[in-house]
Amino acid sequence: MASSEIAQCLSATLSPDTNTRIAAELKLGGLLNAPEAGLALSQLVLASDVDLSLRQMTAIILRKYVTEHWSPYFQQFKGSAPSPEVKTQIRQAVFQGLSDPIRKIRSLCAHTISSIANCDWPDEYPDLLTSLITLLSSLSPDSVHGAMQVFTEFIKSDLTEDQILPVLRQLLPVLLNILGAPEQHSALTRSRTISVFRQCVESLYMVKDQYPDAVKEATATVLPVWLDAFKTLLNVDPRSDVENTPDWDGLAIRVQIFKTLDTIQTSFPRALTPHLKDLLSAALNHLSALYPTFTHYYLQSGTSVPRSSEDESIELTHLVCPMLDFTANVARSGRAKDWFEGSNLAGLIGGVFSWVQMTSEDEEEWANNANAFVAQESDDTLSYSVRMAGFDLLAVLVERAPVAAVSTFQSTIQRVIAESEHARNAGNQDWWRSLEASFAAIGSQAEDVLDVIDDEQDSGRAKPIDIESLLTNVIPNFLVLSQFPFLQGRAFVFASQYAKLLPGQLAGQYLDAAVQVLEASEAGIPVKVSAVKAIHNFCQNIDDAVAVPMAPRIAKDIGPFLPVTSEDTLTLVLETLAVVVQIDDGKWVTEDLARSIVIAVLDVWMKNNKDPIFISILTDVLESLASSPAPGIYQTVVRQALPTLCNAIMSSTAVDSWIASAAIELVSSLVSGAQESRLGEGFFAMLAPSLFSCLRTTEDRDVIQNGIACLTLLVRKDINQIVSWSDPATGQSGLDLVLEVIAKQLQSEDESGGLVIGDLIIHLLRRAGEAVLPVLPQLLQAMVTRMRTAKTATFLQSLIIPFAFLIHNQRDTVLSLLEGINVDGRSGLDILIQTWCENAETFQGFWPTRISALALCALFASERPSLQNLTVKGDIIVKPETKNVIMTRSKTKQTPTEFTSVPFPVKAVKLLLHELQSGGEAASMGFNAADVAELDSDDGDEEWTEEEKANQGFKADEFAFLSDMLGPRGMAFDNDDALEENDDEDLKNDPVSTMDMQAHLLSFLKECAARNTNNFSAVVDQLNPEEIIVVRKAVSN
């Protein structure tokens, strides 16, 4: 096939005549199926005598040809692959295109070579790397440009671990030569060498555990040379890249340098340490040197940023974001601490305040797009910007040097106020930008700034920043500047972020002003959104007494926003409504208002019934309304919401199961808001048919979990409605249907019901014990039977904890029942005890771990022969070949973990001692260093510092952080805060939760020792040395 035939065909596809064009496209499709089509295309790409647009079009078709006809490796492969000989010729031709004098042809050939390399390298294209490196070593700028484009994609995706090191030895010196030859190579080509170098650093980091010595050598020899080169390049005045130059290509090099520095800081920080101060000073110098350019092109609209020589956009923001990120990461790491002081700290904070100003482009977008305006400042925003990077850096600086940073905020804001006043008097229309940015910056750190102020005042020192003065003397002047809506809006938000510092009267005036803006028809998007945000903050941060008089008015004003907003703005409006209805527990809500809010909320849900964030906020709103103590409100909310939600549950199908799932969640919020035993007549009767019908047929995990959680709430709130109701169609009682749901879960292979099914069983036993008695034996038998096949920890806990509860309350009755159960030749007691002992240490939640411990005490004290004769899994057997070795899955297969076997009474004491120690009791039991030293230690802690020894191998602040993270199991039992949020009110108030567990366990051990219960002394002899010391200490205490 001749290239000319393809050329004619391609030309015809551009014909204005429709028939000619369609005929040409059909013919082209046929031609591409020929084995030699690829070769003809590649030759046409290289033909310098052919029109450029045709060559470009051919290159695009060639890449498509590669993905569709080259190899089954590509997903789009359609067959008719060329022979190996033809492939070789195509590869040679396309590779030749990398040196073509025309840039666009080089770039297109680079993309095609990258696609071919994905498939063929190294097996069928072994010489590619050498050829590329040879091309890079040539003196031709065109060839280097072409090869660099291939490398940018290639290193990222194709090198395997064992290829990385040999390639880097060849490649990096060549790249460094290109970077250091500005007179030969364009800035964009040189910037690509840094991009490829960064990918090399990432690759080295990935293999450093596999080849530690080689990587150590590579980083020791390579990184210092490149870092010196980076410093040299950064020391060139950055203004030379943006002033008196047709393009900003030079910035691309700086962008890549800071991105690479950030990568090195993360992967090989030690290599950076000697250079950090120079690099940080360079970053600070860039911030100040480039700021006039930023002002000219981004703040004063009118002049557009020049395109790059390759027609890409290179923005100042592309440089400033990685620069701020790098600086923040260094500060966060604690390195170069003494650099972040004095004039450097002041320069950085002043620089951030300047660079986070709204650009004219931001102003245009945010004025018309409420969602974009809300999103750019939300904590979980996905849009990345200089503003986000700047606020992140400020957060690190305040964390690392609280007083110094906040004092600098004070001096900087005073300077900005004076400068903007001067600019305003001089008639500068942009005078407001720096003020808006500075208040946004200080507002973004409000929580930390308030903490610093409190700490300093508590220590008897002066406040590092005078926010009250700003709120009294500066901010009020901006609240009425409707011609500068962004500054006006920012003033409201800033005041609300520091509302805790406002005296009551002033807080009320601010809140009133924000509400007036909501009601003003002429106010635009930015200021209305800001007012909503401010109201949200005010209602959270000021006394209810100040907010209550305005709450009904605010709720009415927010209502109209619900049907007309979407996405981020709707989230903000809903969150604000949720906060407003919580003011003073909603005592001020009227029936009319409640009705209109419920209608609006259900309308929002119907339009957004798949969005979990909206649903979560809507449940909060409904629960707050339902729990309002004002007369008639609960009934109004239920009357308005329940019929609609029941219809949604009943009409939902497997295809749209999320509707039922969310509707059940919303019903649960009504039940949560109800007072105990006051669900209201007919509540369960209206809900039950749709709920049970849905749970009987659904396979959807979310529906099952939400349905069971809803039933659990109903059991807790008003068990009588469930017991007294019966299904008119079948005659089954509500209780029968609840048990049917439990039975279905126990028979299901799917264990996603997890903890929720256990909660339902527990509350059923607690609330409806008498009513459940007739079916208790079958229920226990079903639970024991399912225990043998259950796999997940949460599901096993759901099966075991109800037994723990029953044993704690009716030990002997339950044990007799279990002894009588037989499952495939094993007694129910054997199955329960084996499963319990294996899983007790993984139980989650405050109440479950306590009830388990109490039940184990009861079992140990029972001295029942059937328990004494049981042997269970004990401690791990540590073998020489696995000692001090991290056990991976494959190693565990080769050397399976083995355990000792011990009598149940021994295991019960082990678990109780674990409970005593994991509750943080060791210190409060009076252990001292000498006791701890008695324990045989083989954990290699000889090298720990005194601080680390005191905190189990961690620094004090790390240990404190971990304690916070770990929560209840790491805290003392009598710490009220240890109760998890998930533990419901019933269980929080249960005597099991409120008792002094430490005292109980210590007294239990003493009593066992005194009476030699269950042959206690012989049991203690079978414990390990550490456990024996704990028992002795406990008993003698």
Side-chain angles (χ1 to χ4, degrees), residues 18-29:
T18 311
N19 293 334
T20 309
R21 194 168 63 250
I22 291 172
E25 285 167 1
L26 290 171
K27 185 180 178 188
L28 180 64

Side-chain angles (χ1 to χ4, degrees), residues 905-952:
V906 175
K907 182 67 174 183
V909 173
K910 281 176 176 286
L911 290 169
L912 291 172
L913 293 174
H914 177 266
E915 198 58 40
L916 197 56
Q917 288 172 293
S918 68
E921 312 301 352
S924 48
M925 281 165 58
F927 278 78
N928 56 36
D931 297 320
V932 178
E934 284 180 54
L935 308 181
D936 289 336
S937 171
D938 59 358
D939 57 5
D941 66 355
E942 293 78 7
E943 294 176 18
W944 285 1
T945 63
E946 288 306 310
E947 180 187 22
E948 288 169 335
K949 282 179 184 166
N951 295 299
Q952 300 172 27

Side-chain angles (χ1 to χ4, degrees), residues 45-46 48 55 96-103 105-106 142:
V45 171
L46 295 182
S48 54
R55 291 176 67 196
Q96 200 181 324
L98 295 178
S99 303
D100 196 275
I102 292 169
R103 178 178 55 79
I105 298 296
R106 293 197 297 274
D142 291 345

Side-chain angles (χ1 to χ4, degrees), residues 291 346-354 408-422 434-435 438:
Y291 179 63
L348 264 188
I349 289 174
V352 169
F353 277 40
S354 298
T408 309
F409 285 2
Q410 169 75 10
S411 53
T412 308
I413 191 67
Q414 292 303 332
R415 173 177 59 76
V416 170
I417 290 168
E419 287 173 358
S420 61
E421 183 66 23
H422 183 263
S434 57
L435 274 175
S438 301

